[in-house]
Amino acid sequence: MSTTLSLKQRTPVRPSRVLLHTFLVVTSLAWLAPLLWALFAALRPYAETSKKGYVSWPDKLSFANFTNAYQQSDMLHYFGNTLIIAVPAVLLTLFLSSCVAFYVSRFDFRINLFLLLVFTAGNLLPQQVIITPLYRMYLLIDLPGITASGKLYDSALGLVLIHVAFQSGFCAFVLANYMRSLPHELTEAALVDGASVWRLYWQIVLPLCKPAMAALGTLLSIWIYNDFFWAIVLISTGENMPITSALNNLSGQYFTDPNLVAAGALLTAIPTLIVYFALQRQFVSGLTLGANKG
Amino acid sequence: MSIDILTKSPEAAAEPPRGVPSKKRVPQGHRRLLTRRDRLTLGLMAGVPTILHVALVWVTALASIALAFTTWDGIGFDSIKWVGLQNFRELFDSNPQFWPAVQHNIIWFVVLILIPTPFGLLLAVQLDKNIRFSRVYQTAFFLPVVVSLAVTGFVWQLVYNPDTGLINSLIGANKPGHYIDWIGDPNLNLWAVLVAACWRHTGYMMILYLAGLKGVDPSLREASSLDGANEWQTFKNVIFPTLRPTNTVVLVVTIIEALRAFDLVFVFNKGAQGTELLSILVTNNIIGESSRIGYGSAIAVVLLVISLAVIIPYLISTFRKERSA
């Protein structure tokens, strides 16, 4: 950012810059290579690659593998499953963690620090530490008529709950820091004027937290969409799986050739890529929220 | 997977120097003004999320500890039997997968900290030089972080496939008799997975360091160059020391990522020969055929103890800063 601050005149083409760009271009391409390779394979028909080999000049590129993968595996259904899980999970996580953050950051209850500690530490635990009892608990909880499986296990509700419980640790910490940076006079004045606590939260604090909420929302959407572990353990019926873990089943069941697997994997990645490219700034600032700035 | 980056609160930088008597315990939010209804609202706002979080995360973590000292087939509570340290003894002495798994988790961490972390820092320093197309390069390095680890696993399988994969096709090892089975060979597969893990980790580290570098005071750099320091000296003596908070975050994130590692290996070969990991052993006890709950919990407890050894000191230092803020 700042190295060039002192050089006001137009920088001439320096050999060091050329070298730097060469290095960056080469490494960028190397970094993209696995994804480009998958794309290349996905665009070619199996018959062609099996005859000519995979490293060969393509005769014909087409989206046939993509449409086949999409139709054969009923992908729309699995995208739907993900949507049913991710949308409520993201919204609930943001709502509940902002409530906790509001509580610990705007009032000086004795329990505040401890409460925040509990949330933060919980999110740092590896998921496998809690999975065995959680799995048993989910099997024990009967929900006849509420979930299709009659239990918390193997249901979208079960996944939503664990996502909310686990991710709210991170979000509560970030939002608490963010809310603490808002001037206290704002809420104090309103409180003196007789506004209720809920109004303070809903009409004053929450609107001011929009940037942080947007960043966290983007991050959470991508994380929850990408979740593999919870879904693999807590969902037993292939039909009920969200797209990322469903891909694991599909690749054995339906996808017979590597080109089709490549197409299926890339299709699965498309929604996250769209979110990333559309909300790049939010995503990156979400990742570094709390790490370097408020 | 989730990412946890937590350091000092934003106002920590603006806090008055220590030793200056601070006006602590000034009631914020005028607690005395709170009506009964307000207190009830606040109770619910903090209570509901806390109950959910504690019940699903902390109660289960404690239950893991308790179950580690029992045997249980999962059918009915009366089949739970207290066995003391037997699960651990069996784990340490006779499970052929346990020590390799521990070793692999350690290798995972060492590789992540030695290769993608410095490389991510290098990329961040280069991209921080206000060069053209910076965003394009950043995106290229960052895409692997956006794509799920499961999809990453599939993509890399295409690269490693013995018959049709990129590597074997390029080096001519895709003909019968010459196959290199990157994923099937127990001497190679851990390293093959680690390449994919490093591929992803680099972009993540790059973003953390880029954010850290943005926070470095530009005048520091100018002062350093006025003093005649070259680029490397400036980085080593001026910039890097100011990145200390970022380095702490990076270290904690990397340890936790190494302990959590799961998706890639599960997609590759379910942690069969050569790629055992603690997380995989726990999971196999749940979704595999044998449901040995006490035994699986004992492995989870090992994982818990290692992670707490990292989490607790980190949180203490983080929250100490916070309290003084």
Side-chain angles (χ1 to χ4, degrees), chain A residues 106-120:
Chain A
R106 306 307 291 186
F107 301 90
D108 64 341
F109 298 113
R110 263 169 207 286
I111 196 177
N112 283 354
L113 203 67
F114 177 71
L115 201 59
L116 202 52
L117 206 69
V118 165
F119 272 90
T120 315

Side-chain angles (χ1 to χ4, degrees), chain A residues 63-78 250 254-255 260 264 267:
Chain A
F63 287 102
N65 284 320
F66 288 97
T67 41
N68 281 346
Y70 184 80
Q71 281 159 358
Q72 278 184 33
S73 62
D74 194 13
M75 255 186 197
L76 194 63
H77 170 82
Y78 298 103
L250 297 174
Y254 298 96
F255 297 162
L260 213 51
L267 279 178

Side-chain angles (χ1 to χ4, degrees), chain A residues 228-236 241 245 248, chain B residues 262 266 283 287:
Chain A
F228 184 68
F229 177 70
W230 297 123
I232 280 284
V233 179
L234 298 176
I235 298 283
S236 59
M241 284 191 171
S245 54
N248 194 49
Chain B
F262 172 84
F266 193 86
T283 313
I287 52 180

Side-chain angles (χ1 to χ4, degrees), chain A residues 1 31 123 129 165 191 287 290-291, chain B residues 4-5 29 53 64 128 199 260:
Chain A
M1 260 300 233
W31 238 249
N123 185 251
V129 166
L191 202 60
L287 266 183
Chain B
D4 326 278
I5 318 130
H53 180 79
S64 261
D128 193 43
W199 179 66
R260 279 183 181 170

